Amino acid sequence: MKTSESPPLLELWLPADPKAVPPARHQAMQACTNAGLAEEECFALDLALGEALANAVMHGAPRAGDVHADDRHVCLSLWGYGDRLIMHIRDHGPGFRPPPPPYPMPSAAWGATCGRGLPLMETLTDAMVVCRADAEHGGASVYLVKKVVR
């Protein structure tokens, strides 16, 4: 497997459009399979990636009229580092102040439609880091880490 000094195994620039998420997930899972990630681990990482990409597309795109409105895209990168795969999902939106981990799953209140992304990503990966970009440039980054078990 490649190291962090090597080029990414995958780098995609997606439009901030929900329709762009499924093909990006498919390409990412193909790269994970090629890197040796087991099928069940690919499935878990795919679900976590789906949450991260959905959040970036829905909440992380600059709004019309924003200084960075031309940056209506999301970047997905995948690296191999030792026996781990690291995914980096980056957006250019208004950013948010991530709560400190751990991320508890919200109650199953009838009609609740949000608040499960961070807990799911944390549960489905070996490590997860959420970062807010600087105030001037905005945006957020999510790193998802999965161990490759052979």
Side-chain angles (χ1 to χ4, degrees):
M1 186 171 308
K2 299 182 182 198
T3 68
S4 63
E5 296 172 2
S6 297
L9 300 173
L10 177 71
E11 188 165 47
L12 300 174
W13 293 88
L14 318 166
D17 179 346
K19 293 177 186 171
V21 171
R25 286 175 67 181
H26 178 76
Q27 287 183 47
M29 290 309 101
Q30 194 66 36
C32 289
T33 300
N34 293 344
L37 196 63
E39 185 176 346
E40 69 181 41
E41 298 302 317
C42 275
F43 180 75
L45 190 55
D46 182 43
L47 290 176
L49 175 61
E51 290 293 330
L53 286 174
N55 285 345
V57 166
M58 302 274 296
H59 306 297
R63 307 296 176 239
D66 189 348
V67 174
H68 303 287
D70 291 339
D71 285 334
R72 293 189 53 81
H73 66 275
V74 172
C75 181
L76 165 62
S77 302
L78 172 68
W79 284 274
Y81 185 79
D83 64 348
R84 304 226 173 1
L85 289 176
I86 301 171
M87 286 192 171
H88 179 202
I89 299 91
R90 180 172 76 242
D91 67 56
H92 298 281
F96 75 108
R97 185 172 307 282
Y103 304 106
M105 188 64 75
S107 67
W110 184 260
T113 59
C114 61
R116 292 180 177 84
L118 292 176
L120 281 172
M121 287 184 273
E122 184 177 50
T123 299
L124 294 166
T125 60
D126 295 316
M128 179 185 79
V129 177
V130 180
C131 305
R132 180 180 184 177
D134 62 68
E136 181 181 344
H137 296 101
S141 287
V142 174
Y143 294 88
L144 305 173
V145 181
K146 200 70 172 163
K147 186 173 183 177
V148 177
V149 180
R150 296 180 197 254

